[in-house]
Amino acid sequence: MKIGYFLSSEEFTPAELVEQARGAERAGFEALWISDHYHPWTDAQGQSPFVWSVIGALSQVCRLPVTTAVTCPTVRIHPAVLAQAAATSAVLHEGRFVLGVGSGEALNEHIFGDAWPQTDVRLEMLEEAVAVMRELWEGGFVNHHGKHYTVEHARIYTRPDTPPPVYVSGFGPKAVDLAARIGDGYVNTSPDAELVQRFRSGGGGDKPCQAGFKAAYADSEDEGMRIAYERWPNAGVPGELSQVLPSPRHFEQAAQLVQPEMMKDAFVCGRDADAHVAKLEEYAKAGFDEVYVANTGPHWQGLFDLYQREVLPRVR
């Protein structure tokens, strides 16, 4: 199983994300995830740089493969524009770029006042958006008049030799079935063996399955829990709220129902190498091919040192 590092755009400045990418490569991580957000989940996280600028900068400081985890190509940015962004990113990273896509959250996509569609409509839009991007990556002029998108006489000139793979995220049966049908790979954030099997048996076969989890490195588990609760209480918000709440303040309101102890279920807190190894093994047993760990809080260098010394040698 490939082990990578997850760059959290909601919590760190562009310069910090670039420095973390350098540190992840030095520590022995094999790839990078990076989140694409317009807003952070809560004001305590405090950041949200434009991901495509950061992806360009990453290409100049390390040679790790990069996957967006994930971009929503349906509302906030037209898929024809994202097709150009992804093609340029693939050129800069010399083919080491994967476009991870998903149906999105109102938190990021509502900013123009568009209605937030129901799940079935969002998945329909996602399927059409992926088709539009793939047609543009073929290199000719594209005219598309679909149910959700129009493209007129558009051509992408700066393209990689091979179009970027498109991995599709899915947390419910319908989204997983879509990922199996149209995706070059699958993305999730929980060690759910049933969803991996659904993807593989539904048409995904042996295509790559990626997942990620969060850690809060600190001198003790309780200190890590405190940091996680301060920065990411939204990790304990259940159900579909993460897809429908439109503002960080709404997540902060919902997070008032979350107790600090709940962070120990959502995060690997502290610096116990055994706990990190156990979490990685959960994803391995679930059938994932790649897993990415994010660090919340200021002690990301400590996490890199821990993984370089104790975690990566053991799991490999």
Side-chain angles (χ1 to χ4, degrees), residues 7-9 12-22 34 49 54 58:
L7 298 168
S8 176
S9 298
F12 297 102
T13 68
E16 289 170 329
L17 294 170
V18 169
E19 184 56 32
Q20 286 183 18
R22 286 196 187 100
I34 185 166
V54 179
L58 296 178

Coordinates of all heavy atoms in Angstrom, one line a residue, residues 7-9 12-22 34 49 54 58:
L7 N -2.2 17.3 2.2 CA -2.1 18.7 2.4 C -3.5 19.3 2.6 O -4.3 19.3 1.8 CB -1.4 19.4 1.2 CG 0.0 18.9 0.9 CD1 0.4 19.4 -0.5 CD2 1.0 19.3 1.9
S8 N -3.7 19.9 3.8 CA -5.0 20.4 4.2 C -5.0 21.9 3.8 O -4.5 22.8 4.6 CB -5.2 20.2 5.7 OG -6.4 20.8 6.1
S9 N -5.7 22.2 2.7 CA -5.8 23.6 2.3 C -6.7 24.5 3.2 O -6.6 25.7 3.2 CB -6.4 23.7 0.9 OG -5.6 23.0 0.0
F12 N -3.8 25.6 6.3 CA -2.4 26.1 6.2 C -2.3 27.1 5.0 O -3.1 27.0 4.0 CB -1.5 24.9 6.0 CG -1.4 24.0 7.1 CD1 -2.1 22.8 7.1 CD2 -0.8 24.3 8.3 CE1 -2.1 21.9 8.1 CE2 -0.7 23.4 9.4 CZ -1.4 22.2 9.3
T13 N -1.4 28.0 5.2 CA -1.1 29.0 4.1 C -0.5 28.3 2.9 O 0.0 27.2 3.0 CB -0.2 30.1 4.6 OG1 1.1 29.5 4.9 CG2 -0.7 30.7 5.9
P14 N -0.5 29.0 1.8 CA 0.2 28.4 0.6 C 1.7 28.1 0.9 O 2.1 27.0 0.5 CB 0.1 29.5 -0.5 CG -1.2 30.3 -0.1 CD -1.2 30.2 1.4
A15 N 2.4 29.0 1.6 CA 3.8 28.7 1.9 C 3.9 27.5 2.8 O 4.9 26.7 2.6 CB 4.4 29.9 2.5
E16 N 3.1 27.4 3.8 CA 3.1 26.2 4.6 C 2.8 24.9 3.9 O 3.5 23.9 4.2 CB 2.2 26.4 5.8 CG 2.6 27.4 6.8 CD 1.5 27.8 7.8 OE1 0.3 27.7 7.5 OE2 1.9 28.1 9.0
L17 N 1.9 24.9 3.0 CA 1.6 23.7 2.2 C 2.8 23.3 1.3 O 3.1 22.1 1.2 CB 0.4 24.0 1.3 CG -1.0 24.2 2.1 CD1 -2.0 24.7 1.1 CD2 -1.4 22.9 2.8
V18 N 3.4 24.3 0.8 CA 4.6 24.0 0.0 C 5.7 23.4 0.8 O 6.4 22.4 0.5 CB 5.1 25.3 -0.8 CG1 6.5 25.1 -1.4 CG2 4.1 25.7 -1.9
E19 N 5.9 24.0 2.0 CA 7.0 23.5 2.9 C 6.6 22.1 3.4 O 7.5 21.2 3.6 CB 7.1 24.4 4.1 CG 8.2 24.0 5.1 CD 9.6 23.9 4.4 OE1 9.9 24.6 3.4 OE2 10.4 23.0 4.8
Q20 N 5.3 21.8 3.7 CA 4.9 20.5 4.1 C 5.2 19.5 2.9 O 5.6 18.3 3.2 CB 3.5 20.5 4.5 CG 3.2 21.1 5.8 CD 1.7 21.0 6.2 OE1 1.0 20.2 5.7 NE2 1.3 21.9 7.1
A21 N 5.0 19.9 1.7 CA 5.3 19.0 0.6 C 6.7 18.6 0.6 O 7.1 17.4 0.4 CB 4.8 19.6 -0.7
R22 N 7.6 19.6 0.7 CA 9.0 19.3 0.8 C 9.3 18.3 2.0 O 10.1 17.3 1.8 CB 9.8 20.6 1.1 CG 10.0 21.5 -0.1 CD 11.1 22.5 0.2 NE 11.2 23.6 -0.8 CZ 10.7 24.8 -0.6 NH1 10.1 25.1 0.5 NH2 10.9 25.7 -1.6
I34 N -4.2 16.9 -1.9 CA -4.5 18.3 -1.5 C -5.9 18.6 -1.7 O -6.6 18.2 -2.7 CB -3.6 19.2 -2.4 CG1 -3.8 20.7 -1.8 CG2 -3.9 19.1 -3.8 CD1 -2.7 21.6 -2.3
P49 N -6.5 28.7 0.4 CA -5.9 29.2 -0.8 C -6.4 28.5 -2.0 O -7.0 27.4 -2.0 CB -4.4 28.9 -0.6 CG -4.4 27.7 0.4 CD -5.6 27.9 1.3
V54 N -1.4 26.6 -5.8 CA -0.6 25.8 -4.9 C 0.0 24.6 -5.7 O 1.1 24.2 -5.5 CB -1.3 25.4 -3.6 CG1 -0.4 24.5 -2.7 CG2 -1.8 26.6 -2.8
L58 N 3.8 23.4 -6.1 CA 4.3 22.0 -5.7 C 5.2 21.4 -6.7 O 6.1 20.7 -6.4 CB 3.1 21.1 -5.4 CG 2.2 21.5 -4.2 CD1 1.1 20.5 -4.1 CD2 3.0 21.6 -2.9

